[in-house]
Amino acid sequence: MSLKCLCCFSKEKEQRHRRNVDDKKNIRDYPWERYTLKELLRATNNFHQDNKIGEGGFGSVYWGRTSKGVEIAVKRLKTMTAKAEMEFAVEVEVLGRVRHKNLLGLRGFYAGGEERLIVYDYMPNHSLLTHLHGQLASDCLLDWPKRMNITIGAAEGLEYLHHEANPHIIHRDIKASNVLLDTEFEAKVADFGFAKLIPEGVSHLTTRVKGTLGYLAPEYAMWGKVSESCDVYSFGILLLEIISAKKPIEKLPGGIKRDIVQWVTPYVQKGVFKHIADPKLKGNFDLEQLKSVIMIAMRCTDSSPDKRPSMEEVVEWLKDGVLKRKKDIPNLSNKGNEENDENYEEFVTMQSNNLKILSDNDGRKMR
């Protein structure tokens, strides 16, 4: 063999080795399974009703077990429409870009004929919604430490989407049913069908309103103006929901609706924070942590998007207030007693007046 041929052979071998290394790296970074429709039908017992573990506007989610014994969750989109196709494409696109311990990862997907299936890890402890308002609510499996750990985990997942993912990602549907819990009750933010990718240098987008009533930021619900701060607002609502086990919007006698911020504000004004905590906790919570998290939630749900914190700040404040308990939340009083200072009283009074916008506009079309 000539020297020229040896050089060519050596170069080709080196390129092949580099491709193999790259392929292995990609497999490690994106460990997607190659599923067939037959495999997923077998795993879910032909999408049997007994296997159904969730349902929404997008379709249904089924529990399954693969031939290797791995438990999975399979999202099966409804009859294919342009809208459903778009949501499928968006979710697969977004999940292909993100990897974080507090985001529900993609195991794989199937797209063929009229079927669009997305496969995830199965979360045995279901969703926050199930524990706060659903079939597991009466069991009160979420004690105070678990709730605080869930808030930090969900916040870190959102922080990753807003500040580390490239391009940045706005979730647009942060709510209790989209925070799933693994075997250790670690939070996994899920359902990216409404997500928006934000190009670098763009502060906000104007788009058709998607999401769930009660969690929507006022500027988004009214004008379709979406930015990271919309997720921050939704997260603030979620914080109050986790603490109190109250729904984001409740119906009062006479058909009147009241959102959770309107409900919580008078208690904060009076300094009776302990009355905000879920009664099922039976007083088993840290009062200082409770105050800190409520104050963070009030900042997140400011009616002005410019005054809301970033998720980076929220994560820092949560860790300080829950894990360290050393620092005050900026510009908010966090005293050891239950008295309010004048600045904070003015702040929550403004919240009470301004945050009626969602209930005043709940007739708007959304999911």
Side-chain angles (χ1 to χ4, degrees), residues 152 154-165 168 228 232 235 296 300 308-320:
I152 293 173
E156 289 184 321
L158 271 178
E159 178 189 28
Y160 172 87
L161 293 177
H162 289 186
H163 301 284
E164 296 181 41
H168 297 169
E228 284 96 337
V232 174
F235 182 76
I296 293 168
C300 290
R308 294 174 207 148
S310 67
M311 284 310 302
E312 284 181 327
E313 291 173 310
V314 170
V315 169
E316 180 184 354
W317 295 350
L318 282 172
K319 288 183 174 179
D320 285 341

Side-chain angles (χ1 to χ4, degrees), residues 71-249:
E71 290 186 291
I72 58 174
V74 183
K75 180 191 286 189
R76 187 187 195 189
L77 274 67
K78 288 182 177 178
T79 305
M80 288 310 299
T81 62
K83 178 182 175 183
E85 187 79 64
M86 176 62 72
E87 289 183 18
F88 173 83
V90 167
E91 181 146 17
V92 171
E93 165 74 8
V94 170
L95 288 172
R97 294 173 177 269
V98 300
R99 279 295 180 274
H100 188 273
K101 64 183 178 66
N102 295 115
L103 300 178
L104 183 65
L106 176 72
R107 289 192 68 90
F109 62 89
Y110 172 83
E114 291 295 307
E115 290 285 0
R116 297 295 181 272
L117 308 171
I118 307 179
V119 184
Y120 314 89
D121 290 320
Y122 173 65
M123 294 291 111
N125 280 313
H126 310 289
S127 71
L128 262 177
L129 183 73
T130 305
H131 289 274
L132 296 177
H133 313 298
Q135 61 190 32
L136 296 177
S138 59
D139 297 336
C140 197
L141 300 176
L142 298 184
D143 59 17
W144 185 254
K146 282 191 179 77
R147 295 187 198 213
M148 294 300 95
N149 188 56
I150 288 167
T151 63
I152 293 173
E156 289 184 321
L158 271 178
E159 178 189 28
Y160 172 87
L161 293 177
H162 289 186
H163 301 284
E164 296 181 41
N166 184 25
H168 297 169
I169 297 168
I170 303 173
H171 187 282
R172 287 209 298 167
D173 202 16
I174 297 299
K175 58 181 179 179
S177 60
N178 284 342
V179 177
L180 305 184
L181 305 172
D182 68 10
T183 52
E184 303 299 321
F185 286 91
E186 290 289 336
K188 306 283 185 179
V189 177
D191 200 339
F192 293 86
F194 292 164
K196 282 286 184 183
L197 306 180
I198 304 297
E200 188 174 352
V202 175
S203 61
H204 69 274
L205 299 172
T206 301
T207 183
R208 187 177 179 182
V209 176
K210 302 271 189 177
T212 304
L213 187 65
Y215 295 93
L216 301 182
E219 72 280 3
Y220 181 43
M222 291 185 71
W223 303 298
K225 185 177 179 180
V226 64
S227 65
E228 284 96 337
S229 66
C230 294
D231 280 351
V232 174
Y233 183 95
S234 301
F235 182 76
I237 299 295
L238 184 67
L239 280 183
L240 295 176
E241 189 176 3
I242 291 170
I243 291 167
S244 67
K246 298 279 284 187
K247 292 184 178 180
I249 291 182

Side-chain angles (χ1 to χ4, degrees), residues 249-259 262 356 359-360 362:
I249 291 182
E250 61 179 343
K251 293 182 180 180
L252 303 178
I256 299 172
K257 294 182 180 180
R258 176 176 64 186
D259 68 58
Q262 291 172 314
K356 296 177 181 178
S359 57
D360 291 341
D362 63 1

